[in-house]
Amino acid sequence: MGIITNQYLYFLLLLVPLIIYFKRSLVNRTPKLKLLSFILRAVGIVLLILALSRPFYQRISKDLHTIFLVDLSESIDLDSVKEKCKDIRAKIAKLNKGDSHSLFYFANEVKRSSILELEKKIDLLKTNFTDDEFRKESKISSSLLAVRMAFPADKKKIIYLYSDGCETIGNIEKTVNTLKNDKIELKFEKIKKISYPEASIVSFIPNTKNAFYGEKVRFTAKMTSNKNMNAKLKFVNNGVVFKEIPIKLKKNKIKELSSDFVMKKECSSVWSVEIVPAVDHFLINNKASCSLNLRGVVKVLALHEKPRKLKSFKKILAKQDIEIETRGKFGLPETITEMLEFDAIILANIPAVHLTPRQMSALKKYVMDFGRGLIMTGSENSFGLGGYYKTEVEDVLPVVSRYEKEKEQPSMAMALVIDKSGSMGGQPIALARQAAKAAVELLTQRDKIAVIAFDGQPKVMCDMISAINTSQIENSIDMIGAGGGTNMYPAMLKGKELLEETSAKIKHMILLTDGQSSGGDFEGLAEEMSDLSMTVSSVALGQGSARELLNRIAEIGGGRYYETNDASSVPRIFTKETMEASRSAIKEEPFIPIKISETDYLESIDLNDAPYLLGYVMTKVKPTAKVQLITEQGDPLLAFGRFGLGKSIAFTSDITEQWASEWLEWNNFGKLWSQIIRSIIKKDASTSIIETISEEGSKIKINLLCKDDNGFPINKISWDGSIKNSYGNSEKIKIKEVGLGRYESIIDKPEIGIHSIFLNDKTNNNMKNIKYSVNYPKEYLLSSKPPTILNNSNNSNLQIKSESSSKSIENYFAIFAIISLLTGIFIRRI
């Protein structure tokens, strides 16, 4: 015997004052009656206190209670269940005299029955198909948990589960462990699945959730059957069969088949796949659907110094449902907000000198932080030739502008003539030094360089020495400081003299000034240098510079003239000019591209019939980039890279008539460039709301992660949420905050169909529409297999030989307590 609670035992202390009262009692009764009355009342009080403590005693029982739980869901072969009824009858017949049993059948819910009623139910289901609502689920876990409540407390417990073991809702592993903890033995008796010829769609998914018009999307369907059979597979959109494929299904094998479709404006966002078997039992599992977020036409900004050169490219891409907006040299947006109006940006023929530091920084952020795409194509104003060496734009390209000059390329001697007058003080002279160093970095060991700084007089900072002496040259450049007047002619003359002393094949001078120079025969000197096969380029910095004179010097000297009001562009001008002067970065000769690796955007492009390209810019691949096409000399032609959230492409040849005239006529040109562009664009337009959806039994869970433009979580958002089915019926959903920038909504799993989940962030005026597809119930999924834990349940080590039960006796204690108290009172009164 035992008690459940001991908190009332403290009341036994009441016996102490009762004893004291007894000794002092003046009741006129005989001592024997007086003592008997006291004892009876004391015993009554003790029994009452013990009754409050809920006493019980243990009883050991070897009796058995067996529960038979039978699965009648749609996936079950009813003839097999009918055979199992014989097994159930045999088990019932073998039960001992003290044993008992219960029988239940289940599918979408569990119902108590008898063996006779069960057999009648099976016969009814075999001839009547009106009970589909009950049979559409196999809720094994919830049924096991429900029937365990039918066990009596004093018997051994055992459940025989007759099922195929494939549950549609629940956690069978957790349930089996719960039964073990409750000392309930589980025996799994497997029932055959339906024997009728049956085929089903197992899954149907696209290779992307988001797509643009004109984009090719791959849909993959998986099918199975319980018999060998022939069937037809149909891909359907908007009620129109886009493709029909004859297939052969093998018994209990999964067949996978993929097909590509181009998203057109007339297409719906919902795609379906249907299987039409030669023989079939269920129709509900012959169809599955999925949905895409169709974002319209891809918008691309293409920049070229002469936008009309991109006319053919724009026309060809329009046929691929890609909208190209062409702009000139100052067409790049100033802000990231304006850039984000485009899905990708192409720098086709724009030198870095036309981009401000702010634009370059925004373009880098456009790729890395906002996941958009950047493409640079080859030209005289691209890569190193365009002055992009060591810029923020080069940071997000898969190639670098520096390259190893070919041995047969001629050597070059360069003279840098830099204004160091007082007006160059501060940032201009610092950037001039930076520009000179950038030029040095681009030279090879076969090149030479001299640096002359001038104010009122020229000063040779570095004689004409080999560019291999990088440290010496850079140290001399660092010695340039601003101060004094402006007299350019003597410095030019000194530079000419230093160039004359070399035997280099190419001799070039870069002249930089921000002011008006003292007099001199500049044009005559430039002409004389030209006669000696020397070239001169000039850079006019600021409004006060002698622009007309500098332009004339460059024109006569056969070089290039640059003018800028932004001192920060000087380094880009020098790197562009250094590479332009040597011409070693350009390879102008016909070649055929060579593919060295596979990638999605080269799929179905036959490069064997590709025509010649006429030139390209030589670059060097970054270690993290991937090269798909190379030239016949092994230089990169097409390279891909990931940078932050975005992607970039470098195509070192051209997309205009200059080097790609034959390619523009090639029938695969539009398809190739369409696939290249689509490979780098961000498919999901929403950058602030990231969602995941998961199924949890009869519920679906929507998890949201919200971030601002800098990647920080957004908290305390006020949401409006709703879910709308394919019939237009809408229902509100609640969204709650569960963590930093994290929100959650749990809703009932909707009916079969395509549903739209609308999320409205009222706090930040941001919206998102999620398509969610609900296909047929898992009950009709033929590929399901019973979990291992059920198959192992028959080999369980849990053997319960006897069952101990607790029987409450508090009522007996209470009754005897009352009798004892009343008897004591009666004796005291008589």
Side-chain angles (χ1 to χ4, degrees), residues 442-503:
L442 292 170
L443 299 177
T444 70
Q445 60 183 3
R446 293 184 294 111
D447 298 326
K448 293 185 175 182
I449 188 170
V451 182
I452 302 106
F454 69 90
D455 44 26
Q457 296 293 328
K459 182 177 182 180
V460 178
M461 307 303 297
C462 177
D463 281 313
M464 187 67 69
I465 60 174
S466 172
I468 197 173
N469 301 304
T470 307
S471 298
Q472 180 182 343
I473 299 168
E474 290 185 349
N475 288 337
S476 64
I477 291 171
D478 287 334
M479 299 295 292
I480 301 175
T486 306
N487 191 358
M488 188 168 60
Y489 184 80
M492 280 185 64
L493 186 60
K494 185 62 179 178
K496 168 184 167 292
E497 293 172 356
L498 293 174
L499 289 172
E500 280 184 300
E501 295 173 0
T502 71
S503 59

Side-chain angles (χ1 to χ4, degrees), residues 27-57:
V27 176
N28 187 19
R29 290 289 183 272
T30 65
K32 289 184 177 179
L33 288 177
K34 185 177 176 182
L35 177 62
L36 180 61
S37 173
F38 169 75
I39 292 173
L40 287 172
R41 281 181 290 169
V43 169
I45 292 172
V46 171
L47 289 175
L48 187 60
I49 293 171
L50 291 176
L52 291 173
S53 301
R54 300 179 64 188
F56 65 89
Y57 74 94

Side-chain angles (χ1 to χ4, degrees), residues 25-207:
S25 174
L26 300 176
V27 176
N28 187 19
R29 290 289 183 272
T30 65
K32 289 184 177 179
L33 288 177
K34 185 177 176 182
L35 177 62
L36 180 61
S37 173
F38 169 75
I39 292 173
L40 287 172
R41 281 181 290 169
V43 169
I45 292 172
V46 171
L47 289 175
L48 187 60
I49 293 171
L50 291 176
L52 291 173
S53 301
R54 300 179 64 188
F56 65 89
Y57 74 94
Q58 294 283 353
R59 188 174 78 90
I60 304 301
S61 171
K62 293 185 178 181
D63 294 337
L64 170 70
H65 186 87
T66 303
I67 291 180
F68 300 96
L69 183 61
V70 184
D71 189 348
L72 291 185
S73 60
E74 288 276 25
S75 62
I76 296 297
D77 178 52
L78 294 176
D79 288 331
S80 180
V81 180
K82 196 68 177 288
E83 285 296 316
K84 291 294 183 181
C85 286
K86 297 178 182 178
D87 180 68
I88 294 173
R89 286 183 178 276
K91 284 184 170 63
I92 293 174
K94 291 180 181 179
L95 294 177
N96 297 322
K97 184 178 179 181
D99 296 341
S100 56
H101 74 278
S102 304
L103 189 146
F104 299 84
Y105 63 81
F106 74 96
N108 193 25
E109 58 180 317
V110 63
K111 296 182 179 181
R112 184 183 286 270
S113 182
S114 66
I115 187 65
L116 185 60
E117 291 172 347
L118 175 63
E119 290 174 332
K120 290 180 179 179
K121 180 70 175 179
I122 294 169
D123 292 336
L124 179 65
L125 292 176
K126 290 172 69 174
T127 57
N128 190 338
F129 295 95
T130 60
D131 209 8
D132 289 345
E133 187 65 29
F134 169 71
R135 301 187 67 201
K136 72 178 183 178
E137 300 283 2
S138 292
K139 296 183 177 180
I140 299 176
S141 293
S142 60
S143 298
L144 285 169
L145 294 175
V147 301
R148 68 175 178 152
M149 307 306 294
F151 281 113
D154 56 348
K155 292 187 178 183
K156 178 183 174 182
K157 307 175 182 70
I158 185 169
I159 297 176
Y160 283 95
L161 172 64
Y162 292 85
S163 173
D164 60 0
C166 304
E167 80 169 341
T168 56
I169 297 176
N171 187 333
I172 189 64
E173 185 171 346
K174 183 179 178 181
T175 300
V176 170
N177 289 327
T178 299
L179 295 179
K180 286 183 180 179
N181 292 334
D182 289 349
K183 296 183 180 180
I184 300 173
E185 189 171 354
L186 176 65
K187 296 289 188 180
F188 176 50
E189 300 282 348
K190 189 171 182 181
I191 299 180
K192 295 179 182 177
K193 286 181 173 289
I194 56 169
S195 57
Y196 305 108
E198 175 62 25
S200 70
I201 301 292
V202 176
S203 66
F204 181 54
I205 56 173
N207 64 343

